[in-house]
Amino acid sequence: MSIVTASGLWTTLFDANLWQATLRQATPLALAALGGVISERSGVVNIAMEGMMLVGAFFAVFYSVIFANAAIGVVMGMVAGGIMALFLAYGAIHLRADQIVMGVAVNLAALGLTGYLLFNKYGTNGTPQSCFAPPACQKGSVYTIPDYSVPLLHRLPAVGQILFQQSPIVYVMLGLVVLVHIFIFRTTLGLRIRAVGENPRAADTAGINVQAVRYLTVTLSGVLSGLAGAYLSLTVGSFSEGMTSGRGFIALAAMIFGKWTPFGAFGACMLFGFGQALYVDLQNTSGPLQSYSTLVATLPYLLTIVALAGFIGRAIPPAADGQPYDPAAAG
Amino acid sequence: MPSIQAVDIVKRFGSFTANDKVSLQAFAGEILAVVGENGAGKSTLMNMLSGLLHPDDGEIRMQGTPVKFGSPRDAIERGIGMVHQHFMLIPVLTVAENVVLGHEPSNGFFDRREAERRVDELSARYGLKLQPRARVENLPVGLQQRVEILKVLYWGSEILIFDEPTAVLTPQETRELFVVLRELATHRRTIIFITHKLKEVMAVSDKIIVLRTGKVVGELITSETSPREIASLMVGRDVLPTVHKPPPRIGEPIVVIRDLHVQSDLGVEAVKGIDLEIHGGEILGIAGVEGNGQTELVEALTGLRPATSGSATLKALDLLAGNSTVKTSAAKVREAGVAYVPEDRRERGLVLPYTVANNLILGLEDSPKFSRGGILNFSKVRSWARGLVPRYDIRPPRTDIPAGNLSGGNQQKVVLAREFSEDPLLLIAAQPTRGLDIGAAQFVHERLVEKRDSGTAVLLVSAELDEILALSDRIAVIYEGEIMGIFDAGESNEEQIGLLMTGGEERAAEQSIDLEAPALVQG
């Protein structure tokens, strides 16, 4: 494919490959961002999603090798993310430490832990060979998640390729956007989560266990970040040091851009995913646009700054977001 | 057997003992009043009874059995519900959601419709009218309290603790509340009622416990005591009851309001064509049930809210900046000589984590008195604060502690000290004594009268009719955004004004409880 002119860019925009890649890029962001929505709605700022994602990515590969099964790898990645989240929860909720500082600590710990384990378990060669199915897979290779084409639907022109020739985790993510929305806004637990995030003392007096709710939401956030990490590593079939490369923070920005709502966060993730997909696309071209690809990649973030500065309506966080709750500090 | 009993309860915060061997008992079907000045330890005691705090020593018994509450949930499950002074509501949720929170009806999902049905049913049964779908943040304070009460009733509590419930109510609403309290008592509920308003204690309680500096200093039977006895127990000395108020020297009109229209946050017209003049040297009191446009009126005059039409001028200055759709800046209004004591000192009057000194210069920080080129001169700020603190009797007399650490009365004194310091032409005081005890309220009243006597035009907005009657030279009654009538202080009475406050409808039937106990204490 060669893009020489602006009309070349035009053709790129109508290329189903670009949009398929957009959804792929958006998936790990959206999974983490959904977790972020749940956590922040209960009043815990989770900047540790990056670290939870990284740990999830490593352990997904690790257990995929051990059990020779990608699905078990994914589940273990989620468990690992959840366990990482418990550290944040213990510090930020139980000990009432500053949530940002705790989050930074978890991120650094995750980077160190996965870096150490990568070398310790696999040496300097990195994670083992990846494979999709038994004939190619031998003992000790990384079982990777193959794409799954939805019968019939994937044959639809354009839409088929974009929506129905994807990793199973992409379908899971799309379903979760709806489920998390229902969870937050239509269930009793969701009502309690929002109450805790707005006025924990009022929730406490109404008999809601603020600490328990926050432990749950932070853990859920960790599990979703772990899933995002598992998607990253088990789609390519390898883990490398720091492979999340800031996606946890981008997810955080997407969540804010999306005004702490699942659909909003998803939309923002699609925008960021589009930026990344376009960047990759342009890099693989020759011609004048290639040299601008990095610049193009910054566009979604510039747009985020504009949006957060208040041009698309002010984003109002939950009133008690970021505030530790001390039940004994009554007036 | 008492339905609830506290035995030798001790609670310390650091070196400060908030409750020192406090004991009380209350029986089913009885209304027990717990009275005391702010800081006497009433709220601490009630927070322990409702499970929010845990006693360091002593025990709580229910039906004679010792109980321990690990959390408010434990207390609620045992049938203790508390209506808090600072409302425990989630502003962004609806009335129904707030009421059922923690005990939500569920059909797999949150059953919104069922929640709204139950709230409708409860509010009908107890005569507490509310829209279940309204967002709480859009309700005036008076209605928010109803949500609080409904919540406790929804919990099915046997023991109901009311923390200063009438602080936000009008006489009519207070009567209605007392009818509810009586009704609950006849249904064998136990009512504990915290207040410092002796009139109300006399009107509704059966027994009285008086607290002072964390200790019980008196246990009284209401029918056998007098307001004077209670007051002297509370304060520890005899109290001077009334505000000394010389006859007014009314001057020129300072503020002229003509056909003012203002919208509420909901986009509904809240002020519907008000005409008012406020003269120098007078206190004009606005009497009205909360939520009848007072907040919007005050916010329009202080530049915090745009007016839709009409005019308001301060001397020659247009307070609405000649453009009715754009609000003028609050800073300009302030510069023109308007001082404002906002109705919610914690939200709007103070920055609670800031020190007393910094709170005393809020809005004045650019004045050459305190800064040059944007750099604050802290030694000037401190010396300014050190001058004001003793003059306004702010306790403890320190300028370097966060305002949030002060009691409500002392927080209010900080607001007054700041607002009065600039010699305003117009002083707007909204609910200036809300939640204050006798001593602090009296202090505020004296300062308001002092300002009036120095020629300032004072606009007093209060939901406390007693306060309006005691201080005002003229009284304007507001109802649904309109002025129903203006009276000179001499020619009005409580009943007449109370009637107009509710739209002039007949309400005689509701006056079954006599509030006309000796008016010893104002506010």
Side-chain angles (χ1 to χ4, degrees):
Chain A
M1 183 170 50
S2 149
I3 303 174
V4 188
T5 60
S7 72
L9 181 62
W10 198 243
T11 0
T12 311
L13 290 179
F14 281 99
D15 184 357
N17 286 320
L18 175 69
W19 293 101
Q20 187 186 27
T22 296
L23 197 53
R24 285 191 171 147
Q25 295 281 3
T27 294
L29 303 179
L31 286 169
L34 288 173
V37 169
I38 297 173
S39 163
E40 298 223 358
R41 279 284 176 173
S42 80
V44 182
V45 173
N46 187 355
I47 69 157
M49 293 191 291
E50 174 80 6
M52 296 171 189
M53 210 190 266
L54 196 59
V55 167
F58 177 83
F59 282 100
V61 167
F62 184 71
Y63 284 103
S64 166
V65 172
I66 288 181
F67 288 98
N69 183 319
I72 293 179
V74 170
V75 170
M76 294 312 288
M78 292 164 73
V79 170
I83 290 172
M84 212 60 193
L86 284 175
F87 285 103
L88 174 69
Y90 183 73
I93 302 167
H94 203 87
L95 302 179
R96 296 191 285 277
D98 185 284
Q99 295 173 3
I100 304 294
V101 175
M102 272 309 297
V104 170
V106 168
N107 282 336
L108 293 175
L111 195 60
L113 178 74
T114 53
Y116 166 75
L117 286 176
L118 178 64
F119 181 75
N120 183 270
K121 298 291 174 193
Y122 304 111
T124 46
N125 296 330
T127 49
Q129 279 283 299
S130 65
C131 66
F132 285 106
C137 291
Q138 298 153 6
K139 191 167 162 33
S141 31
V142 180
Y143 282 66
T144 305
I145 310 167
D147 280 357
Y148 173 77
S149 295
V150 181
L152 300 175
L153 288 176
H154 79 276
R155 293 204 201 131
L156 289 169
V159 178
Q161 188 195 345
I162 297 166
L163 283 180
F164 300 110
Q165 292 177 34
Q166 292 281 13
S167 164
I169 293 179
V170 174
Y171 308 132
V172 168
M173 178 275 289
L174 291 172
L176 278 174
V177 174
V178 179
L179 284 180
V180 171
H181 176 85
I182 292 171
F183 175 62
I184 296 281
F185 294 107
R186 291 281 178 270
T187 67
T188 54
L189 187 52
L191 182 70
R192 291 176 180 199
I193 288 170
R194 285 183 287 142
V196 166
E198 292 289 339
N199 187 346
R201 186 161 298 282
D204 193 355
T205 53
I208 293 169
N209 188 334
V210 174
Q211 317 276 30
V213 166
R214 287 185 167 178
Y215 260 97
L216 173 76
T217 58
V218 172
T219 308
L220 278 178
S221 174
V223 167
L224 287 173
S225 289
L227 178 59
Y231 171 82
L232 280 179
S233 62
L234 287 187
T235 307
V236 295
S238 70
F239 177 86
S240 55
E241 208 171 335
M243 75 181 295
T244 48
S245 57
R247 284 185 178 81
F249 297 110
I250 297 171
L252 191 77
M255 179 207 64
I256 296 169
F257 194 174
K259 297 184 178 177
W260 290 267
T261 64
F263 287 109
F266 171 69
C269 290
M270 284 298 284
L271 182 68
F272 295 162
F274 175 74
Q276 286 176 356
L278 189 63
Y279 166 65
V280 173
D281 232 10
L282 293 179
Q283 268 205 323
N284 294 335
T285 63
S286 56
L289 276 171
Q290 187 188 12
S291 47
Y292 290 111
S293 59
T294 324
L295 202 59
V296 171
T298 64
L299 277 177
Y301 306 109
L302 289 177
L303 198 62
T304 306
I305 294 171
V306 172
L308 294 186
F311 289 91
I312 309 184
R314 208 159 66 87
I316 300 167
D321 205 8
Q323 296 171 13
Y325 176 63
D326 180 1
Chain B
M1 185 170 292
S3 56
I4 187 159
Q5 201 175 358
V7 184
D8 291 336
I9 295 275
V10 177
K11 181 69 189 176
R12 295 184 197 89
F13 296 107
S15 61
F16 173 67
T17 305
N19 276 186
D20 189 1
K21 295 214 169 223
V22 171
S23 298
L24 67 76
Q25 49 184 17
F27 294 83
E30 171 178 277
I31 301 180
L32 172 72
V34 177
V35 301
E37 302 229 80
N38 288 333
K42 294 170 295 179
S43 292
T44 304
L45 178 62
M46 294 307 131
N47 281 334
M48 284 186 285
L49 293 183
S50 63
L52 209 53
L53 293 175
H54 313 294
D56 294 330
D57 202 3
E59 67 182 19
I60 298 165
R61 293 183 198 151
M62 293 184 72
Q63 304 294 349
T65 319
V67 288
K68 274 212 166 67
F69 302 135
S71 68
R73 168 162 290 232
D74 292 352
I76 290 168
E77 274 168 11
R78 293 209 176 239
I80 298 179
M82 181 150 176
V83 175
H84 289 266
Q85 187 179 3
H86 300 296
F87 302 148
M88 295 292 179
L89 297 172
I90 318 287
V92 300
L93 299 185
T94 67
V95 169
E97 286 168 339
N98 267 284
V99 170
V100 302
L101 189 66
H103 306 74
E104 306 87 351
S106 169
N107 52 7
F109 298 102
F110 169 54
D111 192 342
R112 195 177 303 268
R113 212 172 285 169
E114 173 67 10
E116 284 164 3
R117 194 190 62 74
R118 290 196 202 170
V119 168
D120 266 334
E121 194 181 285
L122 268 180
S123 58
R125 193 187 316 156
Y126 294 98
L128 298 163
K129 257 185 275 171
L130 277 172
Q131 293 275 338
R133 288 183 184 196
R135 292 235 290 192
V136 163
E137 63 188 345
N138 297 329
L139 298 180
V141 190
L143 289 186
Q144 291 189 9
Q145 187 190 40
R146 291 190 176 184
V147 183
E148 281 280 283
I149 296 174
L150 270 191
K151 200 162 76 176
V152 176
L153 293 173
Y154 175 82
W155 295 342
S157 306
E158 289 298 316
I159 295 161
L160 290 92
I161 303 173
F162 289 82
D163 191 1
E164 313 232 352
T166 61
V168 294
L169 304 181
T170 62
Q172 274 79 7
E173 285 176 314
T174 302
R175 282 195 194 98
E176 287 169 18
L177 173 69
F178 288 174
V179 171
V180 172
L181 295 187
R182 276 278 155 232
E183 180 71 20
L184 292 169
T186 55
H187 285 87
R188 307 288 300 155
R189 311 265 176 121
T190 309
I191 312 292
I192 301 178
F193 176 70
I194 305 174
T195 186
H196 50 248
K197 291 188 207 162
L198 305 184
K199 242 172 134 175
E200 295 172 357
V201 173
M202 297 307 292
V204 79
S205 71
D206 299 308
K207 288 185 192 160
I208 302 162
I209 294 270
V210 186
L211 287 179
R212 189 170 75 233
T213 58
K215 294 194 179 85
V216 175
V217 293
E219 288 186 69
L220 309 162
I221 308 272
T222 309
S223 55
E224 297 168 6
T225 185
S226 69
R228 184 170 290 274
E229 184 184 8
I230 307 170
S232 58
L233 280 171
M234 272 166 73
V235 183
R237 59 178 159 84
D238 268 342
V239 206
L240 293 171
T242 48
V243 184
H244 173 68
K245 208 176 96 189
R249 292 190 309 274
I250 296 182
E252 292 296 298
I254 289 197
V255 178
V256 179
I257 302 167
R258 288 285 172 256
D259 196 28
L260 183 68
H261 293 258
V262 189
Q263 285 189 346
S264 76
D265 288 337
L266 298 170
V268 183
E269 186 156 73
V271 174
K272 302 168 185 162
I274 281 186
D275 292 288
L276 275 179
E277 286 177 5
I278 311 167
H279 299 254
E282 76 164 345
I283 296 180
L284 175 67
I286 304 266
V289 180
E290 239 169 303
N292 275 287
Q294 299 97 316
T295 305
E296 287 80 5
L297 170 66
V298 166
E299 287 180 358
L301 293 181
T302 48
L304 294 167
R305 178 183 289 274
T308 36
S309 64
S311 72
T313 50
L314 175 77
K315 292 233 163 139
L317 179 100
D318 187 353
L319 280 179
L320 308 175
N323 185 343
S324 53
T325 53
V326 179
K327 65 177 187 182
T328 177
S329 94
K332 273 191 190 144
V333 169
R334 189 169 277 282
E335 226 167 83
V338 178
Y340 173 40
V341 179
E343 74 177 59
D344 189 338
R345 59 181 162 267
R346 295 160 62 90
E347 277 293 319
R348 288 211 155 158
L350 296 168
V351 180
L352 294 176
Y354 278 18
T355 62
V356 170
N358 285 345
N359 270 294
L360 283 170
I361 62 151
L362 282 185
L364 309 171
E365 63 278 353
D366 281 335
S367 141
K369 278 194 286 191
F370 306 117
S371 65
R372 187 177 299 164
I375 310 288
L376 279 167
N377 184 335
F378 282 106
S379 68
K380 282 186 180 170
V381 172
R382 267 195 300 275
S383 66
W384 163 261
R386 286 196 185 123
L388 286 176
V389 162
R391 232 195 307 153
Y392 285 85
D393 190 29
I394 294 163
R395 281 184 252 179
R398 290 179 56 184
T399 59
D400 56 345
I401 56 172
N405 289 9
L406 301 181
S407 70
N410 284 297
Q411 287 178 4
Q412 191 71 335
K413 288 178 189 169
V414 174
V415 175
L416 293 185
R418 180 184 68 221
E419 296 302 320
F420 287 14
S421 59
E422 290 294 278
D423 269 325
L425 289 169
L426 169 67
L427 169 65
I428 299 176
Q431 322 291 354
T433 60
R434 170 168 295 164
L436 303 194
D437 59 45
I438 303 173
Q442 199 175 339
F443 182 88
V444 171
H445 289 167
E446 282 165 6
R447 297 289 88 72
L448 285 172
V449 171
E450 218 171 82
K451 270 292 150 198
R452 172 197 81 151
D453 291 343
S454 70
T456 300
V458 179
L459 179 66
L460 170 69
V461 178
S462 175
E464 310 250 5
L465 194 41
D466 286 341
E467 181 167 71
I468 296 279
L469 290 169
L471 292 177
S472 308
D473 301 307
R474 288 191 303 143
I475 298 167
V477 185
I478 193 169
Y479 175 71
E480 293 200 338
E482 291 179 72
I483 298 294
M484 305 299 287
I486 300 181
F487 304 90
D488 282 337
E491 60 179 45
S492 57
N493 66 53
E494 181 171 345
E495 283 314 313
Q496 188 186 7
I497 290 175
L499 223 55
L500 286 176
M501 281 164 66
T502 51
E505 298 302 317
E506 75 308 310
R507 285 256 175 153
E510 290 172 25
Q511 289 160 17
S512 50
I513 292 182
D514 181 23
L515 272 177
E516 296 305 309
L520 180 75
V521 174
Q522 311 294 339

